[in-house]
Amino acid sequence: MISIRSLAASVLLLSLCSCRVGPNYKRPPVTTPDQYRGLAPDAAPQPPGEAFGEMKFWTVFQDKALADLIREALANNYDIRIAATRVVQAEAIVGITRADQLPSVSGGGSIQNVQSVLNPGSPTFDTFFIQAAYIVDFWGKFRRASEAARADLVASQNGQEVVRTTLVSDVASSYFTLRQFDAQLEYSQKTLAADQDMLKLNTIKFKGGESAETDVLQAQLLVEQAEAQIISLNQSIEQTENAISTLLGKNPGPIARGIALTEQPHMPDVPTGIPSTLLERRPDVRQAEMLLVAANANVGVAKADFFPQFPLTASFGAQSTAITSFLQGPATFWTLAAAVAQPLYEGGRIRSNYNLAWAKRDEAELQYKQSVQLAVADVSNSLVGYAQSRKFRAKIQEQTNTYHETARLANVRFEGGATSFLEVLVTQQQYFDSELALAQAWNVELQNYVQLYRALGGGWEL
């Protein structure tokens, strides 16, 4: 009993005196601007309340059809499900790593029959034993390894949030592109119907000798232009529907529509918040920091290899020729042992492993700082893109209105005999192209709206 007490006291003493070698984590300093570049110089101060990146996706995208598509994608998308399995893997690794901090216990038994000239009775020996082994984590190697595993787990969870944010923006982006093609197709079909009527009228006039054959051919060009555009748009629509179906985790099929492209609700002035909040808001930035935490802890794991280990072992067992005498008298046995193991020569392996851990830690710190810088630049680019795309769309709208009036007047002049059909042809083509460009401009504006929401870290909190 004295030996057992001495061993227990030794374990307790070593535990109380234990430490964790290696650097403790401290967030490295990063530089963020006071406000994002891209905000208008005369912009009003940021209104109080919820920042754009903190809003739920169904409040940012108020088209119910789009919100339903996003929900379906978040439930069924394969990238989301794959990311979830990575989190489960990381949780298992934490459990495996943490087990090194606990003793291992094993048991066994055997039955042995002995036959020899010296022992003619052929006795059978029954043996049962329990063994325990424990390495005192005096230098904190196992605790540092658990710290690294927990950080990797959080990084995996943040990685899942990165996938979720990307998925929300990808579905919204593809949906707005689909609505652009829908708008262009609708206009092209209306244009085709009008052009076909014009072709019929010119054909009648030509047969009646009131106009030249060139008027018929020019009207035919307008019809063919609209027909070609319709074919191209039908292809784009079906392919975009297929892409959205893939994001939803299902086979290609039709996609439900909601609000028209030009009626999509979106805020003209977005409350961005301050740049320093990106460190906590953007999941990719938080993922990079957790990878730095893990790399920092692994430095301690590598440093602990320089110092001695203190393995403790104990065993208890019994041997007998009869089961009834297992726990009686001299049939039992036990052992207690403590040891010290100090590496003396490893050919430079321990030093190289330590240098490698530091190099990986330095790399992770640089990647973290880079992620912060890229996040701020991402928001600034999105702010510029959203502001300028709104101005560009407004100008295209003005241009389209002008072309519409020009085409109307050209048609009036042609019907009044003041000009040739060539003027109608040119102005109609310009108006047609401008209408298509206007739908595209609306899409670009909404694409920048989506990108700004993603850049500010929106879409991963459900």
Side-chain angles (χ1 to χ4, degrees):
M1 295 299 294
I2 297 176
S3 299
I4 295 177
R5 291 173 180 172
S6 299
L7 181 62
S10 300
V11 172
L12 179 60
L13 180 62
L14 287 171
S15 300
L16 292 175
C17 297
S18 65
C19 60
R20 284 192 292 181
V21 297
N24 292 322
Y25 177 73
K26 182 179 180 181
R27 176 181 285 178
V30 291
T31 302
T32 56
D34 295 332
Q35 67 175 16
Y36 296 107
R37 185 182 185 188
L39 290 173
D42 56 347
Q46 289 290 311
E50 191 175 29
F52 188 50
E54 297 174 357
M55 296 179 181
K56 308 300 184 183
F57 70 80
W58 55 87
T59 64
V60 174
F61 308 119
Q62 298 179 26
D63 186 334
K64 184 179 182 303
L66 172 56
D68 289 342
L69 291 174
I70 293 175
R71 290 189 181 93
E72 185 177 354
L74 291 173
N76 300 323
N77 178 265
Y78 279 102
D79 288 334
I80 285 286
R81 294 155 69 182
I82 291 170
T85 64
R86 294 195 184 109
V87 173
V88 175
Q89 294 173 42
E91 289 174 344
I93 291 173
V94 170
I96 294 170
T97 306
R98 190 167 49 200
D100 292 333
Q101 297 178 243
L102 304 173
S104 62
V105 181
S106 62
S110 67
I111 298 176
Q112 183 179 15
N113 182 266
V114 179
Q115 295 184 5
S116 68
V117 176
L118 298 177
N119 197 355
S122 301
T124 299
F125 294 94
D126 303 314
T127 305
F128 170 76
F129 62 90
I130 296 177
Q131 293 179 330
Y134 177 62
I135 299 179
V136 180
D137 193 21
F138 188 80
W139 310 108
K141 177 178 181 179
F142 301 140
R143 282 171 287 165
R144 288 295 191 191
S146 295
E147 179 185 344
R150 287 192 296 269
D152 284 332
L153 169 59
V154 178
S156 297
Q157 293 169 338
N158 289 325
Q160 185 181 20
E161 292 164 359
V162 171
V163 174
R164 187 177 292 117
T165 301
T166 303
L167 181 62
V168 169
S169 63
D170 285 350
V171 173
S173 177
S174 298
Y175 179 79
F176 290 140
T177 299
L178 178 63
R179 298 305 280 144
Q180 171 198 323
F181 294 144
D182 288 339
Q184 290 176 328
L185 177 62
E186 181 181 0
Y187 174 73
S188 297
Q189 290 172 335
K190 291 179 180 179
T191 300
L192 175 60
D195 290 344
Q196 287 173 335
D197 290 340
M198 190 174 296
L199 174 60
K200 292 178 182 178
L201 178 61
N202 283 3
T203 302
I204 293 172
K205 286 185 176 182
F206 168 67
K207 291 181 177 180
E210 298 180 21
S211 63
E213 185 179 4
T214 55
D215 292 348
V216 176
L217 296 176
Q218 288 167 347
Q220 181 66 34
L221 286 175
L222 291 176
V223 171
E224 292 168 350
Q225 179 189 32
E227 289 175 338
Q229 189 64 39
I230 289 172
I231 293 172
S232 177
L233 288 170
N234 280 323
Q235 173 186 336
S236 298
I237 287 172
E238 191 162 333
Q239 290 175 338
T240 306
E241 286 182 322
N242 292 345
I244 294 176
S245 297
T246 301
L247 292 175
L248 301 184
K250 63 182 184 181
N251 292 326
I255 298 299
R257 269 75 154 178
I259 302 174
L261 181 72
T262 58
E263 299 174 1
Q264 290 288 335
H266 56 293
M267 296 182 291
D269 298 315
V270 174
T272 59
I274 57 177
S276 59
T277 59
L278 279 183
L279 275 63
E280 305 298 336
R281 182 67 205 165
R282 289 256 304 213
D284 57 333
V285 173
R286 292 188 292 113
Q287 181 184 29
E289 183 175 12
M290 286 300 102
L291 293 176
L292 172 57
V293 172
N296 189 79
N298 283 328
V299 173
V301 175
K303 187 173 182 179
D305 288 338
F306 286 104
F307 302 98
Q309 290 187 340
F310 303 95
L312 306 176
T313 58
S315 64
F316 174 82
Q319 186 180 64
S320 176
T321 57
I323 296 178
T324 57
S325 62
F326 252 134
L327 302 178
Q328 299 176 1
T332 61
F333 61 88
W334 57 270
T335 62
L336 297 172
V340 177
Q342 169 64 52
L344 298 178
Y345 179 72
E346 294 282 349
R349 180 188 63 82
I350 296 177
R351 172 61 62 180
S352 296
N353 189 52
Y354 181 63
N355 292 339
L356 175 62
W358 263 113
K360 288 184 176 180
R361 188 242 175 248
D362 292 341
E363 178 187 8
E365 179 177 342
L366 292 172
Q367 289 176 335
Y368 167 67
K369 292 181 177 179
Q370 183 185 47
S371 70
V372 174
Q373 187 179 72
L374 292 176
V376 174
D378 196 13
V379 176
S380 296
N381 289 335
S382 298
L383 282 169
V384 172
Y386 185 51
Q388 297 303 319
S389 64
R390 286 178 60 80
K391 295 179 181 178
F392 178 78
R393 186 264 306 162
K395 287 299 178 183
I396 296 297
Q397 181 68 70
E398 294 175 2
Q399 171 187 288
T400 302
N401 294 339
T402 302
Y403 277 134
H404 177 266
E405 183 63 15
T406 302
R408 186 189 68 80
L409 292 176
N411 193 55
V412 170
R413 284 163 54 81
F414 170 70
E415 291 177 353
T419 186
S420 67
F421 190 75
L422 179 61
E423 182 180 343
V424 176
L425 172 66
V426 172
T427 56
Q428 285 289 351
Q429 286 178 328
Q430 291 172 336
Y431 176 51
F432 181 74
D433 292 340
S434 189
E435 280 284 1
L436 298 180
L438 179 59
Q440 184 177 11
W442 271 105
N443 181 36
V444 171
E445 179 179 336
L446 291 169
Q447 295 292 342
N448 280 282
Y449 185 69
V450 173
Q451 180 57 37
L452 180 55
Y453 182 56
R454 175 179 174 179
L456 288 168
W460 60 268
E461 287 184 329
L462 304 181

